[in-house]
Amino acid sequence: MRTSQFPLNTVKETPADAEIASHQLMIRAGLIRKLAAGLYSWLPLGLRVMRKVEKITREEMEKAGALEVLMPGLQPAELWQETGRWEQYGPELARLKDRHQRDFCLGPTHEEIITDLARNEIKSYKQLPITYYQIQSKFRDEIRPRFGVMRSREFIMKDAYSFHLDQESLQHTYDTMYQAYTNIFNHLGLKFRAVIADSGSIGGAVSHEFHVLADSGEDAIAFSTDSEYAANVEKAEAVAPTGSRATATEALTLVDTPDQHSIEEVCGFLNIPATQCLKTLIVRGEEDTLVALLLRGDHNLNEIKAAKIDGVISPLQFASDEEIAGACNCKPGSIGPIGLKIKVIADHSVILMSDFVCGANQDGKHYKGVNWERDLPVPDHVTDLRTVVEGDPSPDGKGQITLARGIEVGHIFQLGTKYSEAMKAGIINEGGKNQIMIMGCYGIGISRVVAAAIEQNHDDKGIIWPANLAPFQVALCPMNMHKSERLKEASEKLYRELQAAGIEVLFDDRKVRAGFMFSDMELIGIPHCIVVGDRGLDSGTVEYKARTADANEEIPFADVIDFLKAKLA
Amino acid sequence: MRTSQFPLNTVKETPADAEIASHQLMIRAGLIRKLAAGLYSWLPLGLRVMRKVEKITREEMEKAGALEVLMPGLQPAELWQETGRWEQYGPELARLKDRHQRDFCLGPTHEEIITDLARNEIKSYKQLPITYYQIQSKFRDEIRPRFGVMRSREFIMKDAYSFHLDQESLQHTYDTMYQAYTNIFNHLGLKFRAVIADSGSIGGAVSHEFHVLADSGEDAIAFSTDSEYAANVEKAEAVAPTGSRATATEALTLVDTPDQHSIEEVCGFLNIPATQCLKTLIVRGEEDTLVALLLRGDHNLNEIKAAKIDGVISPLQFASDEEIAGACNCKPGSIGPIGLKIKVIADHSVILMSDFVCGANQDGKHYKGVNWERDLPVPDHVTDLRTVVEGDPSPDGKGQITLARGIEVGHIFQLGTKYSEAMKAGIINEGGKNQIMIMGCYGIGISRVVAAAIEQNHDDKGIIWPANLAPFQVALCPMNMHKSERLKEASEKLYRELQAAGIEVLFDDRKVRAGFMFSDMELIGIPHCIVVGDRGLDSGTVEYKARTADANEEIPFADVIDFLKAKLA
C-alpha cells in the first residue's frame, strides 16, 4: 500500500476524553474515530489490525473444531424471558420495540439464541459434543462508556458455545478452548495470563479469564512466582497459614482510643503494627441477621469470597451505622468480637493472632493484649475472607503470590445446565431417555484486544505493534523522493520487490518532511522501517530502523529483502 | 471437512412460511434457521457460502481502490436529524432510546455516518477522491418480512461511499464501481443485468441496479435484444414512435356504453382493439389542480415517470371519484379529453392515434371516430408516460425491448450533494475556497445474493451452486464405508489427496444409506460428486457425477485428482 492510496489519519491532538494511552493512541494514530459516546468507527488502519485479531482467532477456533455461525444481533425478548434474564439484566441490555410493539434487545451475548438453535438442531447424543462460534458486533448500554473501544457500547466479540452429554466432555472441550485461547494470545504476541476467575452473573462453576498484562489494567491478577498458578484477585485463594499461635504474654487491658476509628489511626495511636490489630466488619446476613467478619488489620476483605459464605447476603451488604449501634452498642470504629452476640466468621490469619488489639464495643475504647481461648472463644467458623497480598504462599504450594494488573480480553466458562435447563434443551441419550445438555461458553473481546495490545506495547512516540498485529510489517520511507527522479525510481523498485517478497509494506509516497514521515510511522507503530535517501544510493545502502531500537543500521541495498525476511521470520 | 465434524442440518420438511424456492431450499439444505420474523441465524454451511460472496466482493472493492472501514450499527439521531431523514424515514427505521433517553436508530444505511466521518477527516481537495466501504449487518424493520433472507429485518450489506471535488471525478469512480460490480457478479457466476434505475428516496440523478435474473424476481427489467441497454421497467424509456398519424376516416359519434367502465369492457362492447381506445386518468397537480393523463388503451401508466412531470404531485396521487365528478361531470369510466377544462398530458403514442374511442365525460357514453385536430386540439404537453412493453424499440436504437424478472442485489447511485450539503461536508478547494463535496454510494446485499443465486440456480432436487459460491467444490461419498475396511482406507487416502490438491472437499463419513447421502449432496448443491464403492475398487475406478448431469461417469481411481482439477479450472 501507498500512503497516497491508503491515507493515514494521524492527528497531533490528544482528545480531551481519552484518559488512557490506548485510547489516546488509537485516536492519534487514526485507528478509530468517535461517533457518539461509546460508539466508534474503525478507520482503514485500525480495521487492518482488528482483522488480524479476527483471523488468528478464527484459525484457532477452526483448529479446535468449532463451527462458525452467525446469529442475529437483534434478539426477541421471548427467549430472554425463558431464562429470566429479560428481568434480571439491568439497563446495560439495550431494548427496543419493533413496529408491531414486540420487545427485542440488542445482543450483549448469545446464550439464549444458541441454546434455542441447539434445542432445535440437536436431537441425539450422537450429535454431541458440538461447538459453535461467531465473530460479531455486540451491544452493551454502558452507564459510562470510556477508554475508547476498551469499554464501548458496540464492540466486536468472538463468542463460542459448546454442548455436551456429560461433564467429562465439557471438561475436554473446555481444555481444548483453554489451549486455543493460549495459542491465540501467544500468536498475537501479547504477554498474558489465564487466571482462575469468578464466573459472575453468566453462571457456572469453573471459569478462567485471559488477561493481557498492562499497568493500566482495571483488574488485579495474582500469580505465582514459581508455577502456572494465576487467578483474578477476586478469586485467588489466601492459603490458611500453617504456623501455630504464639503464647499469650500480655494481660487483657481496656484502653482509651479517643477519636481513633480506622485501623491506621488506632495502630498509630497505640504504636503497634497493623498485623497486631483485629479488623471487625459487620455485614447483613439472611433472615434479618447481622454477621461479624474478622480480619487481620493489614488484610483487606474480599467481598466476593465473603458473599459466598452460607447465611451471608449476596452480593455483600454492609450493615448501616444504626444496625451496628443496635448490635454492638458503638460506632463502626470500635467494634470487636469480645462479648459480641452475633454470628462471627474469622479469616484464617486471625486465629493465629495473639496479644492483639480489637475494638471494645464502646465508643473510644479498645482492648489490648487480647488472646484467643483465654479472653474469648476461637470462632467456630474460620475461612478465607481476605484478598491475597504479595508474598502470600501460592495456593498450589509452589512459590509466592505476586500481583500484576491486567485487561480482561477473554473469558471461558463451564456453564453447566443454567441455560439448557431453563430452555429445556434436551437430547435423547444412549439409553433413549431425554437428558438436558451441559454447556460451555467462550468469549474474546476482539476489538478490546486491539486496545489492550496498545496498552501493553507503546512508548512516548506511539504504538509498538507486536509483529502479528501490525497493520503493515515494514514502512518504506524515501527522503524527499519528489526532488530526485533517481530516488523515486529506486524506491518504486524496492517497493515492488518488497511486495513480491510477500512483505506487507506501507510505502510513504507523500510529499512530506522526513521528520514528519518518521514520527507518523512511529506513531502508527510499524515494526520495521527502511529509509531510502540520495546519499544512501551513492553508497548503495539504505537505513534500517526497528521501531524499538534507538539507532539506525546501514544495510546494503541489495540485502534489504533478505535482511527483512530474516527479521520477520 | 468431514460430515462427522461439519454436520449437515438438512431437513425434509419445507417450512409453511417459505413461499419461494430459495427460502425453502435454504431451510431444507440447512443454510439458515429462523429466529423470529425476518431474523435468521446462518448455520455453518450457509455462512461458508456467504463468506465467499464477501470475499469476492472485498477483493473487487480493494482492486477498485476502496478503503475498508467499519462504522457502528447503532447511530445517533442527531446526524439523521441533520439530513431530515429522522423525520422522513418511515417505521422501517428501527429506533430506540439509550439508558439516558437519547435517540438512536439501527442503521439501514450509513450515508449520515460516513458523511460525518468525511467532514471531519477530509479537509483538502488533495485528499479527494476517496472511497470507503464496509461489510456489515444492517437493519430494516420491514412491515412484512418474507422470502427468508431475501427480505429480512437484519441482513449483511456491503456499502461503499465516495467523495469528490467534481462531477467528472464522481463519474470516474461510478464507472469504476460499475465495472467492479460487473466483475463481482461475473465472478460469482450469476446471470445478471445492470439496469438504469430510479434512484428513489436515496436521492441523486444517475443510478444503476444490478439484478440477478430469476423468474421469481420481484422486479421487471427491460433490456434490448441487440445491445447492452437494460433498465428497470420503472425507468425504461418508451421511445416516441416515429410514424405519422393516419388520416381520419370515421365521423365523430357519441355512442352509448352502458355499464362499460374499463378499457376491456368498452373495447369488448364496441368490438375494437385496445390500441384503438384512449385511456384517460386524472391525477392531482400542484396548487389544488387536477391533471389528465392520456395513454393508449393497451399501455400502462408508469407512475414514476408521471410523478416526475412538472406540476404533478410526487409521489403520484390519483384523483378521488368526487374530484373527478367535479372536473369531468362523470364517473372514472367515462372520462375523455374532449372539452375537458383541466391540464392534459399525453403519452407519445396517443398523438398517433386516429379514429379512436374515448370517454365522453358523460356516464355511460363514449365518443367513436375521434381524431386529433379535427375534434380536439393535439395536447401541448406530450411526453413518455407509459411502461415499456415487449417489442418496443430499444431507447439506444439497437434492437427491441424484451422483459425479464430480476432480483435486485446491487445498486449504485450518484448522490450528488444531497447529504454533503445538508451536513455541510466541505473541503478547501484548489482556489482556497470552501466547497461542498460530491458523493456516490454503492451497495450490495451480500446475504441477499446467496438467496438470489439459489433462486436462479436450483432444480427439484435442490440447490445448484455456481462454482465460486459452492460451500464445497467436491463431495466424496463412500458407499457403506463402515462395512469395508478396504473402502475406508481408500476413501481416507483419496480425501487426503483431494485436500492436498487444494480442493475444498466434503467427505461424507456418516453411517447412512447411499441414497440418503446422494440426496443430501444434491440438496446442498455440491457441484461435483465422487462416489467410491467396493465394486469400483475392484476395477480401480470411482464414479463421478456432476450436480447438473443425469448420468454418472466412470473415472480411473488414479485420475481422480487430475480429472477434478480440470473440472474446477
Side-chain angles (χ1 to χ4, degrees):
Chain A
M1 285 289 183
R2 297 161 183 272
T3 49
S4 58
Q5 280 152 29
F6 189 91
L8 300 180
N9 298 77
T10 53
V11 289
K12 279 212 149 36
E13 302 76 26
T14 298
D17 68 340
E19 301 165 49
I20 60 170
S22 62
H23 186 187
Q24 293 166 357
L25 288 171
M26 288 183 80
I27 300 287
R28 284 187 50 213
L31 306 189
I32 55 168
R33 286 295 179 262
K34 183 175 170 177
L35 170 64
L39 297 174
Y40 290 87
S41 292
W42 288 78
L43 297 180
L45 194 70
L47 191 59
R48 273 183 81 94
V49 178
M50 186 153 72
R51 292 277 185 248
K52 297 199 169 189
V53 181
E54 279 184 28
K55 184 165 179 285
I56 288 170
T57 303
R58 192 170 269 123
E59 282 166 3
E60 290 296 331
M61 285 300 108
E62 300 287 332
K63 267 194 235 165
L67 299 166
E68 189 170 3
V69 294
L70 183 63
M71 294 178 273
L74 206 53
Q75 307 185 356
E78 287 76 9
L79 295 179
W80 286 69
Q81 283 156 351
E82 280 192 55
T83 63
R85 287 211 293 181
W86 186 256
E87 286 73 33
Q88 287 157 19
Y89 224 99
E92 286 77 28
L93 189 65
R95 298 162 207 243
L96 71 158
K97 286 182 188 292
D98 74 358
R99 63 194 295 157
H100 305 297
Q101 299 304 310
R102 289 195 205 96
D103 283 312
F104 286 84
C105 66
L106 297 179
T109 177
H110 277 71
E111 281 82 9
E112 280 81 0
I113 313 305
I114 196 75
T115 307
D116 179 58
L117 188 72
R119 72 179 165 185
N120 291 322
E121 297 304 315
I122 307 174
K123 305 292 183 193
S124 155
Y125 72 96
K126 291 181 190 162
Q127 293 170 269
L128 297 180
I130 194 162
T131 305
Y132 296 110
Y133 80 99
Q134 60 176 354
I135 296 180
Q136 188 200 47
S137 288
K138 297 277 194 264
F139 302 86
R140 198 180 305 158
D141 196 357
E142 294 282 353
I143 188 163
R144 204 154 60 91
R146 60 203 159 126
F147 305 150
V149 297
M150 196 80 93
R151 187 171 293 280
S152 58
R153 300 203 279 182
E154 181 172 343
F155 48 96
I156 306 288
M157 280 279 291
K158 187 284 297 175
D159 47 330
Y161 307 88
S162 65
F163 295 86
H164 309 272
L165 192 65
D166 54 34
Q167 174 62 29
E168 191 186 343
S169 165
L170 169 59
Q171 186 66 47
H172 183 264
T173 295
Y174 188 85
D175 293 344
T176 302
M177 281 292 174
Y178 184 102
Q179 187 56 50
Y181 274 44
T182 302
N183 297 348
I184 289 166
F185 294 111
N186 276 330
H187 200 159
L188 290 170
L190 298 174
K191 291 181 282 293
F192 73 99
R193 295 273 169 184
V195 306
I196 300 162
D198 187 73
S199 53
S201 67
I202 298 260
V206 178
S207 99
H208 282 86
E209 289 168 2
F210 287 76
H211 284 262
V212 167
L213 300 182
D215 293 340
S216 59
E218 282 194 285
D219 290 285
I221 302 162
F223 57 97
S224 166
T225 49
D226 296 357
S227 77
E228 287 299 300
Y229 177 82
N232 193 306
V233 159
E234 290 175 350
K235 182 88 178 181
E237 185 191 344
V239 179
T242 47
S244 57
R245 192 156 56 226
T247 314
T249 61
E250 296 179 24
L252 179 69
T253 328
L254 186 67
V255 294
D256 284 328
T257 49
D259 297 325
Q260 312 301 316
H261 306 293
S262 69
I263 296 290
E264 290 73 36
E265 287 167 348
V266 172
C267 292
F269 185 81
L270 298 176
N271 195 24
I272 54 164
T275 50
Q276 209 55 34
C277 190
L278 187 77
K279 186 189 284 185
T280 309
L281 299 164
I282 311 294
V283 298
R284 296 193 180 127
E286 283 166 7
E287 297 173 3
D288 273 335
T289 62
L290 294 178
V291 177
L293 305 176
L294 308 186
L295 291 133
R296 212 169 68 186
D298 60 325
H299 287 154
N300 285 319
L301 177 70
N302 183 313
E303 297 188 23
I304 308 260
K305 290 178 182 174
K308 287 194 173 149
I309 296 170
D310 265 359
V312 169
I313 285 179
S314 171
L316 203 66
Q317 297 179 358
F318 285 96
S320 67
D321 286 7
E322 290 70 39
E323 287 169 318
I324 289 171
C328 314
N329 293 312
C330 65
K331 295 202 180 111
S334 302
I335 319 168
I338 296 179
L340 204 57
K341 295 278 180 281
I342 60 177
K343 183 175 181 182
V344 171
I345 299 169
D347 181 67
H348 289 300
S349 302
V350 163
I351 56 164
L352 290 197
M353 293 170 78
S354 59
D355 293 336
F356 61 88
V357 167
C358 68
N361 296 325
Q362 304 172 45
D363 285 331
K365 301 224 183 261
H366 278 77
Y367 283 116
K368 273 193 70 173
V370 187
N371 282 281
W372 296 112
E373 294 185 271
R374 186 190 73 184
D375 305 323
L376 77 174
V378 175
D380 290 341
H381 197 147
V382 179
T383 186
D384 174 17
L385 276 183
R386 70 177 176 93
T387 299
V388 291
V389 293
E390 293 254 0
D392 275 344
S394 176
D396 65 355
K398 297 171 196 154
Q400 295 186 324
I401 289 287
T402 180
L403 298 176
R405 306 224 44 102
I407 299 163
E408 185 191 334
V409 287
H411 204 158
I412 60 178
F413 300 86
Q414 295 192 9
L415 289 176
T417 56
K418 174 170 170 167
Y419 297 92
S420 48
E421 184 81 53
M423 297 182 70
K424 300 188 181 53
I427 42 98
I428 304 299
N429 67 17
E430 212 162 351
K433 293 258 164 61
N434 196 295
Q435 183 179 328
I436 293 297
M437 289 185 277
I438 300 178
M439 291 173 61
C441 85
Y442 318 90
I444 287 183
I446 299 285
S447 42
R448 189 174 238 231
V449 163
V450 179
I454 296 173
E455 213 55 58
Q456 185 181 82
N457 301 282
H458 68 273
D459 61 14
D460 54 0
K461 294 176 196 157
I463 301 165
I464 304 171
W465 289 116
N468 289 336
L469 275 175
F472 297 94
Q473 299 167 319
V474 172
L476 175 60
C477 298
M479 278 163 42
N480 299 314
M481 182 174 79
H482 299 271
K483 293 182 188 159
S484 160
E485 194 54 39
R486 182 178 69 141
L487 180 57
K488 187 171 186 320
E489 273 171 30
S491 306
E492 292 281 356
K493 180 164 173 287
L494 185 52
Y495 177 54
R496 287 192 300 272
E497 287 170 1
L498 287 161
Q499 285 188 305
I503 293 171
E504 288 183 84
V505 54
L506 182 63
F507 179 18
D508 201 345
D509 60 352
R510 294 176 296 175
K511 219 184 228 174
V512 295
R513 283 177 300 104
F516 187 90
M517 203 180 267
F518 299 154
S519 65
D520 259 7
M521 293 303 152
E522 284 175 334
L523 175 59
I524 70 174
I526 309 301
H528 308 282
C529 183
I530 297 290
V531 184
V532 201
D534 260 317
R535 240 182 335 186
L537 287 187
D538 292 336
S539 58
T541 59
V542 302
E543 279 184 26
Y544 164 78
K545 188 177 172 302
R547 174 63 181 82
T548 49
D550 289 325
N552 292 3
E553 264 178 78
E554 272 200 355
I555 311 290
F557 206 102
D559 296 352
V560 173
I561 305 291
D562 287 343
F563 176 85
L564 286 172
K565 275 190 174 167
K567 288 278 176 194
L568 296 171
Chain B
M1 285 289 183
R2 297 160 182 273
T3 49
S4 57
Q5 279 152 29
F6 188 91
L8 300 180
N9 299 78
T10 53
V11 290
K12 278 213 150 37
E13 302 76 26
T14 297
D17 68 339
E19 302 166 46
I20 59 170
S22 61
H23 187 186
Q24 293 167 356
L25 288 170
M26 288 182 80
I27 300 287
R28 285 187 48 213
L31 306 188
I32 55 169
R33 285 296 179 260
K34 183 173 169 177
L35 171 63
L39 296 174
Y40 290 86
S41 292
W42 288 78
L43 297 180
L45 194 70
L47 191 59
R48 272 182 82 94
V49 178
M50 186 153 72
R51 292 277 186 248
K52 296 200 171 190
V53 181
E54 278 185 27
K55 183 165 179 283
I56 288 171
T57 303
R58 191 170 270 124
E59 281 165 4
E60 289 296 332
M61 285 299 108
E62 299 287 333
K63 268 195 235 166
L67 300 165
E68 190 170 2
V69 295
L70 184 62
M71 294 177 273
L74 206 52
Q75 307 184 358
E78 287 76 12
L79 295 179
W80 286 70
Q81 283 156 352
E82 279 192 56
T83 63
R85 287 211 293 182
W86 186 256
E87 285 75 33
Q88 288 157 20
Y89 224 100
E92 286 76 27
L93 189 65
R95 297 162 208 243
L96 70 158
K97 286 183 189 292
D98 75 358
R99 65 195 292 155
H100 305 296
Q101 298 305 308
R102 289 195 205 98
D103 283 312
F104 286 85
C105 66
L106 296 178
T109 178
H110 277 71
E111 282 82 9
E112 280 80 1
I113 312 306
I114 196 75
T115 307
D116 179 59
L117 189 72
R119 72 180 164 185
N120 292 322
E121 296 304 314
I122 306 175
K123 304 293 182 191
S124 155
Y125 71 95
K126 292 181 191 161
Q127 293 170 269
L128 297 180
I130 194 162
T131 305
Y132 296 109
Y133 80 100
Q134 60 176 355
I135 296 179
Q136 186 201 47
S137 288
K138 297 278 194 262
F139 301 87
R140 197 181 305 159
D141 196 356
E142 294 281 352
I143 188 163
R144 204 154 61 93
R146 60 204 159 130
F147 305 150
V149 298
M150 196 80 93
R151 187 171 294 280
S152 57
R153 299 203 281 181
E154 181 172 343
F155 48 96
I156 306 288
M157 279 278 291
K158 186 284 297 176
D159 47 332
Y161 307 89
S162 66
F163 294 87
H164 309 271
L165 192 65
D166 53 35
Q167 174 62 30
E168 191 186 342
S169 165
L170 169 58
Q171 185 66 48
H172 183 263
T173 295
Y174 188 85
D175 293 343
T176 303
M177 281 292 174
Y178 185 102
Q179 188 56 50
Y181 275 44
T182 302
N183 297 347
I184 288 166
F185 294 111
N186 276 330
H187 200 159
L188 290 170
L190 297 175
K191 291 180 282 295
F192 72 98
R193 295 272 169 185
V195 306
I196 300 163
D198 187 73
S199 53
S201 69
I202 296 262
V206 178
S207 99
H208 283 85
E209 289 169 0
F210 287 76
H211 283 262
V212 167
L213 300 182
D215 293 340
S216 59
E218 282 194 287
D219 289 287
I221 302 163
F223 58 97
S224 167
T225 49
D226 297 357
S227 75
E228 286 300 298
Y229 177 83
N232 193 304
V233 159
E234 290 175 351
K235 182 88 177 183
E237 185 190 343
V239 179
T242 49
S244 58
R245 191 156 57 227
T247 315
T249 61
E250 294 178 24
L252 179 70
T253 327
L254 185 66
V255 294
D256 283 329
T257 49
D259 297 325
Q260 311 301 314
H261 305 294
S262 68
I263 296 289
E264 291 74 36
E265 287 166 347
V266 172
C267 293
F269 185 81
L270 299 177
N271 194 26
I272 54 163
T275 51
Q276 207 56 34
C277 191
L278 187 77
K279 186 189 283 184
T280 309
L281 300 164
I282 312 292
V283 298
R284 295 193 181 127
E286 283 167 8
E287 297 173 2
D288 273 337
T289 61
L290 293 177
V291 178
L293 306 177
L294 308 186
L295 292 133
R296 214 168 69 186
D298 60 323
H299 288 154
N300 286 320
L301 177 69
N302 182 313
E303 297 188 23
I304 307 260
K305 290 177 183 176
K308 286 196 173 148
I309 296 170
D310 265 0
V312 171
I313 285 178
S314 172
L316 203 67
Q317 297 180 357
F318 286 96
S320 67
D321 287 5
E322 292 69 40
E323 287 168 319
I324 289 171
C328 315
N329 292 313
C330 66
K331 294 201 180 116
S334 302
I335 318 168
I338 296 179
L340 203 57
K341 295 280 180 283
I342 59 175
K343 185 174 180 183
V344 171
I345 299 170
D347 183 66
H348 289 300
S349 304
V350 164
I351 56 162
L352 289 197
M353 293 169 78
S354 59
D355 294 337
F356 61 88
V357 166
C358 69
N361 297 325
Q362 304 172 43
D363 285 331
K365 303 225 181 259
H366 277 77
Y367 283 116
K368 272 193 70 170
V370 187
N371 282 280
W372 297 111
E373 294 183 274
R374 187 191 74 185
D375 305 323
L376 76 173
V378 177
D380 290 340
H381 198 146
V382 179
T383 186
D384 175 18
L385 276 183
R386 70 179 177 91
T387 299
V388 290
V389 293
E390 293 254 1
D392 276 342
S394 175
D396 65 355
K398 297 171 198 154
Q400 295 186 325
I401 289 289
T402 181
L403 297 176
R405 306 225 44 103
I407 299 163
E408 186 191 333
V409 287
H411 204 158
I412 60 178
F413 300 87
Q414 295 192 11
L415 288 176
T417 56
K418 174 171 169 166
Y419 297 92
S420 47
E421 184 81 52
M423 296 182 71
K424 300 188 181 54
I427 42 95
I428 303 300
N429 68 17
E430 211 162 351
K433 293 257 164 60
N434 196 294
Q435 184 181 325
I436 293 296
M437 289 186 277
I438 300 178
M439 292 172 61
C441 85
Y442 318 90
I444 289 183
I446 299 286
S447 41
R448 188 173 238 232
V449 163
V450 179
I454 296 172
E455 212 56 57
Q456 187 180 80
N457 302 282
H458 68 272
D459 61 15
D460 54 359
K461 293 176 194 156
I463 302 166
I464 303 171
W465 289 116
N468 289 336
L469 276 175
F472 298 94
Q473 299 168 318
V474 172
L476 175 60
C477 298
M479 278 162 44
N480 300 316
M481 181 173 79
H482 300 272
K483 292 182 189 158
S484 160
E485 193 55 38
R486 181 178 71 139
L487 180 57
K488 188 171 186 321
E489 271 171 31
S491 304
E492 292 281 354
K493 180 164 174 286
L494 186 53
Y495 176 53
R496 286 192 301 273
E497 287 171 359
L498 286 161
Q499 285 189 305
I503 293 171
E504 288 182 83
V505 55
L506 183 64
F507 179 19
D508 200 345
D509 61 352
R510 294 176 295 175
K511 220 184 225 174
V512 294
R513 284 178 299 106
F516 187 90
M517 204 181 264
F518 299 154
S519 66
D520 259 7
M521 293 303 153
E522 284 175 333
L523 176 58
I524 70 173
I526 308 300
H528 309 282
C529 182
I530 297 289
V531 185
V532 201
D534 259 317
R535 239 183 332 188
L537 285 187
D538 292 336
S539 57
T541 59
V542 303
E543 278 184 28
Y544 164 78
K545 186 173 173 306
R547 173 65 181 81
T548 48
D550 290 327
N552 292 5
E553 266 177 76
E554 273 200 356
I555 311 289
F557 207 103
D559 297 352
V560 172
I561 304 290
D562 287 343
F563 176 84
L564 286 173
K565 275 190 174 169
K567 288 277 176 195
L568 296 171

